[in-house]
Amino acid sequence: MGANDVSMIKAAHIGVGISGQEGMQAMLNSDFAFSQFCYLQRLLLVHGRWSYNRMCKFLSYFFYKNFVFTLVHFWYAFFNGFSAQAVYDTWFITCYNLIYTSLPVLGLSLFEQDVNETWSLHFPELYIPGQHNLYFNKKEFVKCLIHGIYSSFVLFFVPMGTIYNSERSDGKDISDIQTFCLIVQTSLIWMVTVQIALKTTYWTMISHFFIWGSLGFYFCILFFLYSDGLCLMFPSIFQFLGVARNTMNQSQIWLSLILSVILCVIPAFGYQFLQPLVWPVNVDKVFDRINHCKTRPPQVRVRTKLKHPSLRRSAYAFSHKQGFGALITSGKTTKTKPNKKNSFPVKK
Amino acid sequence: MAMNYNAKDEVDGGPPGAPGGTTKTRRPDNTAFKQQRLPAWQPFLTAGTVLPTFFIIGLIFIPIGIGIFVTSNNIREIENPSKECEPYRRNEDKPIAPCGAIANSMFNDTLELFLVANESDPTLTLIPLKRKGIAWWTDKNVKFRNPPGTESLKERFKDTTNPVNWLKPVYELDPEDEDNNGFINEDFIVWMRTAALPTFRKLYRLIERKNDLHPTLPAGRYYLNITYNYPVHSFDGRKRMILSTVSWMGGKNPFLGIAYITIGSISFLLGVVLLVINHKYRNSNNTADITI
């Protein structure tokens, strides 16, 4: 496009330039540039749609995990005399957003797809949610907040109920602050992991690695931070000596963990199933149809070979000289090249 | 330039190539990673997945809950509430070992349990209470250490004084047993494991099980002798002495059992509700116009 279109491109939310015969001005000022106008279809319906999807999932999940993380302190305040005593180990607070939960979110925002590119192109209606701001708006944010409040409630009161006035299996202490911190931390990590697992609909090997790997990494770091060596070297910084070892072998801790995770996840799980059923939007019908087609692949029409007694070709032969008639009736000039199917986004 | 422009040129986003020149292609690689075609699993929540999940959760949780609840109820517990006492007194002082408010507030009541022989004969038999083995192994052997040295414990602590509220100095916590004196005294260690909630319990002593032929605490009348040193009146505190057995899930705590049963039942109910809803709406959806 020409230089007079530059102002139009700059004024738009997303300016797309097409490199062509009229110079590079438009391209240099645009957000996206490509060489053929038909690529716009893929840009919008496939990549644009995926990008919107990923962004919305990322945002709602990120807000959710931080709400759960923080609001537990609200519930604890009623029991610690409003002293702002933290429910987590200080190292956990540092590492939570940086190490334990960063990779899964990254994986979600890089690889997530709701439907693959073929279906995206086949059903342009799937683009409508982006236009109507359907996947992340004030209502979605409020849902996220409510889910976070509920999860933090469960995350605090289930461990509290477990250790309240209770002991270990050998009678020793279990209701100390360090054990409580450990239980709440571990339940939180499991809970947000299961939540992102529910949100991910496109599981590549990398997604598996990021999600389950982060969980395993949490346990490795946990045992490292609470090990004898480190705590004895820096006693004022690492104070949780022996807590992991002494607590993780108690079955009531694991039972409490399972209970809090299931309790948090059930509402989201049920809602995710119920919403397209009872309050469907147009997009849900499309998804329904896509899944219907996926589970029941269309009947492949068996092409019956047309049997000819002899291969007929239509051909006109004008012969001004002897010999060309044979060339034309041999059929070589009427054969068509087979259609090559390729899914390159660039090649036509 | 326009004449040399070739539609078959594969360069995108770049200037029209020079005639016959080899311009570097900026086409992204056709790998699965870069073209977003990675092999993937795409789960979709259908009625076939969600509904069985709810029922399975119900079916698993309810028996687990019943099991835990029954175990908890099998644990025998005897409670003895104590009365409030005189006001708390404080005075200021100097280098304290062990220092800090938590150490200062160490629990120092002593309890002794006696078995009354029978109605006619009032002789009291002291039940042996084990004072070691009540703290976490890692606390006792790794975290808490006495100051090093070969001289007596009293010598090692000679420049310090006992905390304001303590009756005896730290090296006299258990003069009979060197392994339970000073900072590694197990009562002290148990106290230093700070509680999370305002109501907590701590292990005071262990009563060792005798061999199975004799009951450890035979039925009869018992006499509890309390040396009441620890004042809790100032903050409306309460003290209780609890005699309890332990099991694989700890002390008597019906919370988990009840919670599992409740959540299992709710899950089961929700499963039924969702089944009904699914049946009703799935039928109406099938007949509705799905053409788009």
Side-chain angles (χ1 to χ4, degrees):
Chain A
M1 296 192 303
N4 57 347
D5 299 316
V6 168
S7 51
M8 177 175 73
I9 289 176
K10 278 163 102 161
H13 285 138
I14 297 185
V16 176
I18 304 203
S19 64
Q21 309 181 14
E22 297 169 37
M24 297 206 354
Q25 286 276 29
M27 255 172 42
L28 291 172
N29 284 301
S30 56
D31 300 302
F32 293 97
F34 36 74
S35 57
Q36 299 287 335
F37 195 78
C38 61
Y39 299 157
L40 188 65
Q41 186 191 26
R42 285 190 64 91
L43 180 71
L44 286 181
L45 296 184
V46 179
H47 299 285
R49 209 179 57 77
W50 280 348
S51 176
Y52 177 69
N53 238 339
R54 288 168 185 162
M55 192 78 76
C56 294
K57 279 196 178 168
F58 162 80
L59 279 173
S60 59
Y61 175 74
F62 207 88
F63 277 118
Y64 167 75
K65 81 171 161 80
N66 279 297
F67 282 138
V68 189
F69 178 64
T70 318
L71 290 174
V72 183
H73 294 104
F74 172 75
W75 305 111
Y76 190 38
F78 294 104
F79 294 88
N80 63 13
F82 298 93
S83 62
Q85 165 72 38
V87 161
Y88 312 113
D89 178 16
T90 38
W91 286 102
F92 180 79
I93 297 178
T94 314
C95 296
Y96 177 68
N97 272 320
L98 193 64
I99 301 180
Y100 301 144
T101 53
S102 58
L103 281 181
V105 171
L106 193 71
L108 181 77
S109 9
L110 286 179
F111 298 115
E112 181 64 11
Q113 292 175 16
D114 48 356
V115 289
N116 67 8
E117 56 188 25
T118 323
W119 292 109
S120 306
L121 289 169
H122 195 66
F123 288 103
E125 305 86 0
L126 290 170
Y127 191 68
I128 293 177
Q131 294 174 313
H132 291 228
N133 215 15
L134 214 58
Y135 288 160
F136 194 76
N137 45 35
K138 286 199 207 83
K139 196 166 141 210
E140 290 296 317
F141 181 76
V142 168
K143 275 193 217 163
C144 187
L145 176 63
I146 293 177
H147 190 207
I149 294 176
Y150 166 75
S151 298
S152 67
F153 183 84
V154 167
L155 190 64
F156 176 70
F157 281 100
V158 169
M160 184 195 131
T162 310
I163 64 159
Y164 183 78
N165 234 358
S166 181
E167 303 138 17
R168 286 164 48 107
S169 54
D170 49 16
K172 299 182 188 168
D173 254 338
I174 205 177
S175 51
D176 60 300
I177 183 73
Q178 296 184 339
T179 309
F180 186 60
C181 288
L182 180 71
I183 302 175
V184 177
Q185 273 166 216
T186 312
S187 306
L188 172 68
I189 291 283
W190 271 99
M191 196 192 290
V192 294
T193 302
V194 172
Q195 185 64 30
I196 202 173
L198 264 186
K199 262 195 144 59
T200 308
T201 55
Y202 194 73
W203 284 88
T204 59
M205 281 310 293
I206 302 179
S207 311
H208 280 291
F209 176 66
F210 279 173
I211 294 178
W212 311 121
S214 291
L215 190 63
F217 194 54
Y218 163 72
F219 281 103
C220 293
I221 296 206
L222 187 78
F223 281 98
F224 171 65
L225 284 178
Y226 296 1
S227 61
D228 288 355
L230 198 65
C231 294
L232 289 175
M233 270 197 280
F234 305 101
S236 54
I237 306 175
F238 300 101
Q239 296 169 352
F240 279 53
L241 201 156
V243 182
R245 267 175 289 161
N246 283 315
T247 318
M248 291 301 190
N249 57 9
Q250 297 295 306
S251 40
Q252 45 183 320
I253 304 301
W254 291 101
L255 286 170
S256 135
L257 201 138
I258 293 173
L259 183 68
S260 36
V261 170
I262 296 261
L263 202 53
C264 272
V265 160
I266 277 191
F269 190 63
Y271 182 75
Q272 217 170 320
F273 167 70
L274 203 64
Q275 188 255 330
L277 200 59
V278 181
W279 307 284
V281 278
N282 285 332
V283 204
D284 295 318
K285 295 201 172 87
V286 181
F287 284 125
D288 225 4
R289 191 141 166 236
I290 290 176
N291 281 290
H292 188 86
C293 292
K294 271 194 204 166
T295 48
R296 273 163 275 260
Q299 298 289 332
V300 178
R301 258 180 278 138
V302 177
R303 253 182 247 156
T304 51
K305 246 186 174 170
L306 297 158
K307 288 204 176 127
H308 295 274
S310 63
L311 215 53
R312 270 181 26 164
R313 287 179 298 278
S314 300
Y316 295 98
F318 295 99
S319 174
H320 62 284
K321 216 174 156 186
Q322 195 184 22
F324 284 106
L327 173 66
I328 291 170
T329 49
S330 71
K332 282 190 197 141
T333 51
T334 55
K335 268 201 189 129
T336 50
K337 283 193 190 136
N339 240 346
K340 271 201 203 119
K341 272 199 206 125
N342 44 28
S343 47
F344 274 35
V346 179
K347 248 192 190 166
K348 275 224 286 187
Chain B
M1 265 199 301
M3 290 179 287
N4 289 331
Y5 181 70
N6 196 349
K8 292 206 201 96
D9 229 332
E10 303 285 26
V11 177
D12 50 323
T22 47
T23 43
K24 196 170 136 221
T25 171
R26 285 165 55 201
R27 188 209 306 178
D29 303 331
N30 183 28
T31 58
F33 183 72
K34 288 205 176 160
Q35 295 299 333
Q36 302 200 50
R37 281 194 312 259
L38 288 169
W41 172 51
Q42 292 183 274
F44 185 71
L45 287 182
T46 57
T49 335
V50 171
L51 291 173
T53 309
F54 275 85
F55 286 116
I56 287 172
I57 290 176
L59 281 173
I60 292 181
F61 269 38
I62 296 181
I64 290 181
I66 293 173
I68 298 173
F69 191 70
V70 166
T71 316
S72 168
N73 274 345
N74 280 341
I75 291 174
R76 312 263 303 282
E77 221 178 48
I78 304 165
E79 260 187 53
N80 174 34
S82 173
K83 292 196 297 254
E84 293 89 329
C85 202
E86 69 222 16
Y88 184 40
R89 271 182 296 152
R90 60 157 75 241
N91 55 32
E92 311 301 320
D93 244 309
K94 351 68 162 183
I96 296 176
C99 61
I102 299 176
N104 185 36
S105 63
M106 180 166 153
F107 185 75
N108 49 15
D109 284 3
T110 43
L111 309 166
E112 287 166 324
L113 193 61
F114 299 95
L115 170 64
V116 180
N118 50 38
E119 295 297 318
S120 49
D121 180 13
T123 51
L124 302 168
T125 334
L126 177 68
I127 308 279
L129 300 173
K130 227 178 99 185
R131 38 192 333 179
K132 290 174 75 174
I134 55 176
W136 289 10
W137 188 92
T138 46
D139 281 353
K140 166 89 182 189
N141 297 76
V142 184
K143 193 171 183 183
F144 286 83
R145 300 273 89 205
N146 271 328
T150 46
E151 61 269 5
S152 76
L153 213 52
K154 184 168 179 175
E155 277 295 307
R156 286 183 247 167
F157 280 106
K158 69 174 173 353
D159 290 322
T160 66
T161 176
N162 49 317
V164 175
N165 288 23
W166 282 29
L167 300 169
K168 3 174 214 196
V170 67
Y171 48 84
E172 276 174 28
L173 286 172
D174 188 0
E176 293 133 36
D177 190 351
E178 190 63 28
D179 193 33
N180 199 25
N181 206 1
F183 288 150
I184 54 177
N185 173 265
E186 298 221 9
D187 288 316
F188 174 64
I189 293 175
V190 165
W191 187 253
M192 288 307 286
R193 188 139 281 287
T194 328
L197 300 164
T199 307
F200 56 91
R201 59 165 89 172
K202 292 204 171 286
L203 188 58
Y204 177 69
R205 292 285 183 267
L206 290 169
I207 299 179
E208 274 201 305
R209 276 188 84 166
K210 299 205 194 108
N211 54 16
D212 291 299
L213 297 170
H214 302 280
T216 314
L217 291 176
R221 283 189 62 220
Y222 283 81
Y223 182 78
L224 178 70
N225 191 16
I226 303 174
T227 312
Y228 202 104
N229 294 320
Y230 196 69
V232 293
H233 179 76
S234 60
F235 52 86
D236 273 336
R238 300 271 187 283
K239 288 190 274 184
R240 283 177 293 176
M241 191 283 289
I242 304 172
L243 270 176
S244 167
T245 54
V246 288
S247 75
W248 59 269
M249 57 159 283
K252 188 185 184 83
N253 191 3
F255 169 78
L256 270 183
I258 295 176
Y260 264 77
I261 295 179
T262 317
I263 302 305
S265 327
I266 291 178
S267 181
F268 206 83
L269 264 158
L270 274 178
V272 171
V273 167
L274 284 181
L275 189 69
V276 169
I277 293 179
N278 181 49
H279 190 72
K280 180 172 152 213
Y281 278 87
R282 191 59 73 185
N283 281 340
S284 69
N285 264 352
N286 279 337
T287 54
D289 200 21
I290 310 185
T291 56
I292 302 152

